[in-house]
Amino acid sequence: MLLDGHDPLAIAVAADALAAGELVAFPTETVYGLGARADDDAAVARIFAAKGRPTNHPLIVHVTDASAARLFCAAWPDLAQRLVAAFWPGPMTVIVPRAHGFATASAGGQATIGLRSPSHPVALALLRAAAARGVPGVAAPSANRFGRLSPTRAAHVVAELGTDLRVLDGGDCDVGIESTIVDCSRGRPVLLRPGSLTRGAIEAVLGQPLADRDADAPRASGTLVSHYAPRGTVRLMASGMLQSALQLLAAPTDAAAPKAVVPLAVYSRLPVPSGFAGVHQVMPSRADLAAHELFNVLRRFDDLGVQLIWVEEPPTGPEWDGVRDRLRRACAN
Ligand code: TXA
Ligand code: MG
């Protein structure tokens, strides 16, 4: 059922539900999360069941602030402290050593734990109300079925997980792609998932370069090759190749020959030829605007029954890393 996230009574109802070990979906500035109290393994098991997610894939624990985060950690590396001081509340998740015997299910059994303090006012109000009821943190993956597109609107959550679930509606998510994840547990900082914060901004705060994830990096479902995928097949194409393909489609054919009807969608900065029979969505030329609408656009293509999605490669700048990462994973199936 949908609850108004700006209604204090709804926040109280949702916080009561969390305290009782039930699930609540809530907005964050990145995407909507499916939450359960992080210190209760049975409650967290409900998240894995609802999503159809393997139970050894760790979740991010959402906390009110850095002091709440410390409860979950065995150590608080200086790397994490720097990132948290600069980017919390906000779209930054730090991976740190986990407090022994605590939040085991949330961590998917890993010896580390992912922590984030979101900046969305509804998320913070919920976390604070839950904390007042003895909930130290809320484990929450994106509120979608495993492998699917992350939801950026309350209606997307209902479409993914059904009408029985309590969903706090906080409107359209601002950022639109999931948080940046930096592993701070291994001495040197490792970028596990790019988000809206640029590599340069993160490295400036850390005072050292970020390493890229390697084969022995901890398991992260958002880093599986095929993830964030719509139902239609996505092809990422260089601008020149997309232009040629579109010209080919637009070329006049023998009037007698039947024209192939392809349920095709194009997401590009390039215009499509006039008379193009598919769906066209213009990709914004700013990375933050493209991130904001990315999952929403792909979900709309799904709703239209599109089977093939041609996406123009985004520009090469570092501010596009998060969008590029999600698009590559969306086409890997
Ligand atoms: O923006 C976000 O991060 C959203 C909102 C709801 O906060 N959450 C989100 O959660 O994207 P999820 O579960 O869809 O992605 C969490 C990612 C996964 O790739 C997971 O494997 C990784 O974080 N992760 C969590 N804990 C980890 C750990 N201890 N070690 C390595 N990766 C971890
Ligand atoms: Mg996810």
Side-chain angles (χ1 to χ4, degrees), residues 23 40 51 60 82 100 160 176 195 221 273 284 325:
L23 300 182
D40 179 342
K51 279 187 63 108
I60 293 170
R82 284 168 181 253
H100 187 69
E160 287 283 325
S221 60
D325 170 80

Side-chain angles (χ1 to χ4, degrees), residues 26-34 51 53 56-62 91-96 106-108 110-116 118 140-144 150 177-181 183 192-193 217-224 227-228 326:
F26 60 97
T28 81
E29 71 280 22
T30 58
V31 301
Y32 275 74
L34 176 63
K51 279 187 63 108
R53 171 157 160 159
N56 62 351
H57 287 206
L59 309 176
I60 293 170
V61 174
H62 297 68
M92 164 60 70
T93 296
V94 294
I95 307 291
V96 296
S106 296
Q110 309 265 352
T112 54
I113 190 138
L115 294 159
R116 168 164 119 79
S142 50
N144 52 276
S150 298
I177 58 172
E178 305 79 356
S179 61
T180 302
I181 305 179
D183 187 352
L192 295 186
R193 181 174 73 184
R219 180 188 297 276
S221 60
T223 63
L224 290 177
H227 213 72
Y228 311 115
R326 301 311 185 278

Side-chain angles (χ1 to χ4, degrees), residues 304-328:
L304 292 170
V306 162
Q307 286 170 25
L308 194 57
I309 303 167
W310 288 352
V311 182
E312 182 180 356
E313 282 266 16
T316 49
E319 68 278 18
W320 287 89
D321 286 354
V323 168
R324 195 176 310 104
D325 170 80
R326 301 311 185 278
L327 283 171
R328 292 212 171 126

Side-chain angles (χ1 to χ4, degrees), residues 40 46 175 224 226 284 295:
D40 179 342
R46 296 195 180 100
V175 175
L224 290 177
S226 171
F295 289 132

Side-chain angles (χ1 to χ4, degrees), residues 14-329:
D16 282 341
L18 285 175
E22 291 163 26
L23 300 182
V24 172
F26 60 97
T28 81
E29 71 280 22
T30 58
V31 301
Y32 275 74
L34 176 63
R37 62 182 301 160
D39 59 337
D40 179 342
D41 287 358
V44 170
R46 296 195 180 100
I47 296 179
F48 289 105
K51 279 187 63 108
R53 171 157 160 159
T55 55
N56 62 351
H57 287 206
L59 309 176
I60 293 170
V61 174
H62 297 68
V63 289
T64 51
D65 54 25
S67 67
R70 306 281 279 262
L71 275 176
F72 289 87
C73 328
W76 188 242
D78 177 56
L79 295 172
Q81 179 53 37
R82 284 168 181 253
L83 293 175
V84 162
F87 299 120
W88 278 14
M92 164 60 70
T93 296
V94 294
I95 307 291
V96 296
R98 178 168 59 93
H100 187 69
F102 195 53
T104 309
S106 296
Q110 309 265 352
T112 54
I113 190 138
L115 294 159
R116 168 164 119 79
S117 185
S119 63
H120 195 294
V122 174
L124 275 176
L126 177 65
L127 291 171
R128 290 188 183 128
R133 290 160 173 79
V135 176
V138 174
S142 50
N144 52 276
R145 305 272 312 157
F146 183 62
R148 292 262 308 136
L149 300 167
S150 298
T152 57
R153 295 181 180 172
H156 299 165
V157 180
V158 175
E160 287 283 325
L161 299 170
T163 51
D164 288 348
L165 177 67
R166 281 192 186 83
V167 183
L168 282 173
D169 189 347
D172 208 353
C173 298
D174 202 18
V175 175
I177 58 172
E178 305 79 356
S179 61
T180 302
I181 305 179
V182 179
D183 187 352
C184 302
S185 72
R186 299 194 295 167
R188 53 177 202 149
V190 182
L191 180 65
L192 295 186
R193 181 174 73 184
S196 60
L197 303 168
T198 61
R199 177 181 276 269
I202 299 166
E203 290 177 341
V205 162
L206 291 172
Q208 60 180 296
L210 278 169
D212 288 308
R213 61 187 300 277
D214 51 41
D216 58 278
R219 180 188 297 276
S221 60
T223 63
L224 290 177
V225 175
S226 171
H227 213 72
Y228 311 115
R231 293 197 182 83
T233 302
V234 182
R235 291 278 171 264
L236 204 49
M237 294 155 89
S239 307
M241 182 189 277
L242 177 61
Q243 192 144 35
S244 314
L246 288 171
Q247 274 159 5
L248 212 64
L249 271 189
T253 50
D254 178 349
K259 244 192 169 162
V261 180
V262 186
L264 172 69
V266 173
Y267 185 44
S268 66
R269 283 162 291 128
L270 275 175
V272 292
S274 62
F276 172 68
V279 185
H280 181 226
Q281 173 79 30
V282 179
M283 185 188 290
S285 50
R286 262 174 52 191
D288 58 339
L289 300 178
H292 174 76
E293 70 171 27
L294 179 66
F295 289 132
N296 193 33
V297 166
L298 295 177
R299 194 174 282 274
R300 192 166 68 85
F301 292 162
D302 263 3
D303 293 344
L304 292 170
V306 162
Q307 286 170 25
L308 194 57
I309 303 167
W310 288 352
V311 182
E312 182 180 356
E313 282 266 16
T316 49
E319 68 278 18
W320 287 89
D321 286 354
V323 168
R324 195 176 310 104
D325 170 80
R326 301 311 185 278
L327 283 171
R328 292 212 171 126
R329 294 185 200 290

